[in-house]
Amino acid sequence: MTEHVYDAIIVGGGPTGTMLAAELRLHDADVLVLERDPEPTQLVRSLGLHARSLEILDQRGLLDRFLEAGTRYPGIGSFAGIPAPRPVVLDTAHGYTLGLPQPVTDRLLAEHAVASGARLRRGAEVAGFEQDDDGVTVTLVDGERLRTRWLVGCDGGRSLTRRALGIGFPGEAATTEWLLGEAEVTTPAEEIAAVSEEVRKTHRGFGIGPAAEGRYRAVVPAASVSEDRTTPPTLEEFRAQLRAYAGTDFGIHSPRSLTRFTDATRLAERYRVGRVLIAGDAAHVHPPLGGQGLNLGIQDAFNLGWKLAAELSGRAPDGLLDTYFSERHPAAEQVLTVTRAQSELIDPAPGPQAVRRLLTDLIELDDVARFFAEKIAGTGVRYDLGGGHPLVGRRMRDLPLAHGRLYERMRDGRGLLLDPTGTLTVGGWADRVDVVAEPAEGLEAPAVLLRPDGHVAWAGDDPAGLAEALRRWFGRPMA
């Protein structure tokens, strides 16, 4: 074992792991990411990013490169394929969905992590680990041993990290499986669109549409739930299911990726044991309806990063790291509720379809449409940070300032006091919290204290209340 001790080792180089690595690097943590696969995967498991994730990327100065690589689609998406009758206005500056295949998201976030100074080792598979009071010893399958102060498992739904910790993963096993593929086709586009529209009248779990570079992306129910879902479907299996549901395989050929997913739904009972934590799919799995899985993982990382960095620096107030679980576990629970409901509503049986028809009528109401849009986009999340102002616990949207925008002032991962009154100060927390004392268009409070993840920790004009919030979230002030 080498004598070098990392501040944090992250198991898994997917979007959750690389986002977390970059967040830790904002605070100069020594971070190593271990990724089992020797090369980046080309499997397309996620198709885009929602408003809350786009806000996060904007806050870190990454949004432009994602926008250049993706396609903006107006609106927030739909709940179980039920579109809102008119555009829904949400409390965000990013009222759209960004179409972006997961391999592109993976690449951009990995590049960001490496550029920030994190080390990413591919082809490094973890065999196990042991923790003690001072840190964690990680053993790779080749026998190499590494030492770290903290370990975070971002290693997917079959997480070795979670299983080694003995964390319960209750929920429901898979009852339905879908095949997802991206490939070339020979059938004309007009015919594909017509067939898809007809099939989806009775089978909401089916879909086919254009993807990048002239390819098509198709999803179709599998014949049964496979015993080994790590093995991708064959092209012939995919063709057979297309023919079973659509009466044609669309002349599909030359697949770029073929994968399978299920409606298995599970949520970890804990997110931390000692010096080891879990995040992303290691903590929660659910059907991809609504496209929330990757987004949920990025948001986990954004919540955990600054808290773990504070723990590493020795400045974390008591219990700060525990708020990662108390805040993100309920957020994941909400997503699981939403995906369970959508799974029921795409069932072609008469009962679920009757509920679907009723919901289709209800979604004509603006408040109902907004409710479901917030669930999909993630903008409805409010952490329970105690009483006080209605803004407390919510994430602050990007606001125009006298000079620039709010998110442009939060690029460094520090807290921020937004005080248009110019009468407040952060005192001994100035090494961790910035002050912006200028007008902010649309601010619904005299002043607000923002955590590094953009959530409002305090709102008002009382200096004593501000000092209490600063101590609660940023620890003791400088001497």
Side-chain angles (χ1 to χ4, degrees):
M1 180 174 66
T2 65
E3 294 183 357
H4 182 82
V5 179
Y6 293 96
D7 287 327
I9 288 179
I10 298 169
V11 184
T16 303
T18 51
M19 186 75 203
L20 176 59
E23 288 298 292
L24 291 170
R25 284 298 304 152
L26 282 175
H27 304 276
D28 297 322
D30 183 11
V31 183
L32 172 66
V33 180
L34 301 174
E35 169 52 47
R36 178 184 61 186
D37 293 339
E39 299 293 336
T41 180
Q42 294 304 309
L43 293 179
V44 181
R45 297 189 179 94
S46 169
L47 302 177
L49 298 168
H50 290 304
R52 181 49 44 93
S53 298
L54 297 173
E55 291 176 351
I56 287 171
L57 296 172
D58 192 4
Q59 192 175 323
R60 289 295 179 260
L62 301 173
L63 184 59
D64 285 348
R65 67 187 74 173
F66 280 79
L67 293 178
E68 290 173 2
T71 303
R72 294 194 211 193
Y73 295 101
I76 304 298
S78 60
F79 182 83
I82 304 172
R86 50 193 161 274
V88 177
V89 178
L90 298 181
D91 185 26
T92 179
H94 303 286
Y96 56 92
T97 302
L98 184 67
L100 196 66
Q102 184 170 339
V104 181
T105 300
D106 289 354
R107 174 178 60 80
L108 292 174
L109 287 176
E111 290 173 354
H112 171 54
V114 171
S116 70
R119 281 171 268 194
L120 172 59
R121 284 181 56 180
R122 296 194 181 276
E125 184 174 356
V126 173
F129 57 86
E130 296 178 349
Q131 62 173 311
D132 51 51
D133 292 342
D134 299 319
V136 185
T137 300
V138 181
T139 303
L140 305 186
V141 293
D142 64 3
E144 182 182 1
R145 303 178 75 196
L146 304 166
R147 184 72 175 167
T148 181
R149 295 170 64 191
W150 289 86
L151 179 70
V152 186
C154 303
D155 46 347
R158 298 176 180 83
S159 170
L160 177 147
T161 308
R162 185 193 64 245
R163 288 185 279 115
L165 292 172
I167 294 176
F169 204 37
E172 301 88 53
T175 60
T176 305
E177 181 175 301
W178 292 268
L179 309 181
L180 174 66
E182 188 174 298
E184 297 179 29
V185 298
T186 59
T187 302
E190 298 80 6
E191 183 178 339
I192 292 175
V195 171
S196 178
E197 182 179 1
E198 185 63 28
V199 175
R200 283 182 57 79
K201 290 178 181 179
T202 53
H203 295 286
R204 294 284 173 175
F206 173 91
I208 183 169
E213 300 173 358
R215 293 185 295 270
Y216 270 72
R217 185 176 296 117
V219 60
V220 62
S224 62
V225 177
S226 59
E227 293 185 6
D228 181 10
R229 292 186 293 278
T230 62
T231 302
T234 64
L235 180 58
E236 185 47 47
E237 181 183 357
F238 199 73
R239 285 171 172 159
Q241 289 308 107
L242 288 174
R243 290 192 294 267
Y245 279 83
T248 174
D249 62 13
F250 305 100
I252 196 165
H253 66 95
S254 305
R256 184 173 187 267
S257 71
L258 292 172
T259 187
R260 59 179 90 236
F261 61 88
T262 73
D263 61 351
T265 304
R266 299 185 180 277
L267 179 59
E269 294 178 331
R270 291 184 288 171
Y271 285 9
R272 174 190 174 191
V273 176
R275 289 180 170 267
V276 185
L277 303 107
I278 57 175
D281 288 351
H284 37 70
V285 295
H286 55 84
L289 301 168
Q292 294 172 275
L294 181 148
N295 291 269
L296 190 61
I298 289 175
Q299 292 155 33
D300 282 350
F302 206 61
N303 183 283
L304 175 60
W306 67 278
K307 297 173 180 178
L308 182 54
E311 190 74 29
L312 286 165
S313 72
R315 292 177 173 175
D318 290 343
L320 177 66
L321 196 54
D322 292 332
T323 67
Y324 163 59
F325 175 77
S326 65
E327 292 173 2
R328 293 308 299 166
H329 188 271
E333 201 165 31
Q334 286 189 31
V335 170
L336 265 61
T337 295
V338 169
T339 55
R340 282 184 174 112
Q342 292 183 89
S343 294
E344 293 295 324
L345 290 171
I346 66 171
D347 189 323
Q353 288 307 299
V355 177
R356 182 185 182 87
R357 287 191 293 274
L358 288 174
L359 186 55
T360 301
D361 291 339
L362 282 174
I363 218 162
E364 294 277 345
L365 303 174
D366 288 343
D367 288 347
V368 176
R370 184 177 301 107
F371 172 83
F372 285 113
E374 287 181 345
K375 293 295 185 184
I376 296 295
T379 56
V381 172
R382 179 183 183 184
Y383 298 142
D384 183 5
L385 307 186
H389 196 281
L391 285 176
V392 173
R394 296 195 66 87
R395 181 178 154 80
M396 182 61 68
R397 66 171 291 158
D398 193 21
L399 299 177
L401 305 175
H403 304 286
R405 301 183 291 118
L406 175 63
Y407 286 0
E408 292 172 339
R409 306 294 184 88
M410 301 191 74
R411 299 277 159 85
D412 295 333
R414 293 160 54 89
L416 185 141
L417 173 64
L418 178 56
D419 175 27
T421 72
T423 62
L424 299 169
T425 176
V426 297
W429 290 274
D431 61 331
R432 282 153 277 175
V433 182
D434 296 324
V435 178
V436 174
E438 57 189 73
E441 183 181 329
L443 182 63
E444 298 174 355
V448 292
L449 174 66
L450 303 180
R451 309 188 317 185
D453 59 2
H455 282 264
V456 179
W458 169 88
D461 55 9
D462 175 30
L466 172 61
E468 181 182 350
L470 285 164
R471 187 178 297 273
R472 176 184 178 185
W473 294 106
F474 297 97
R476 292 180 295 178
M478 293 183 295

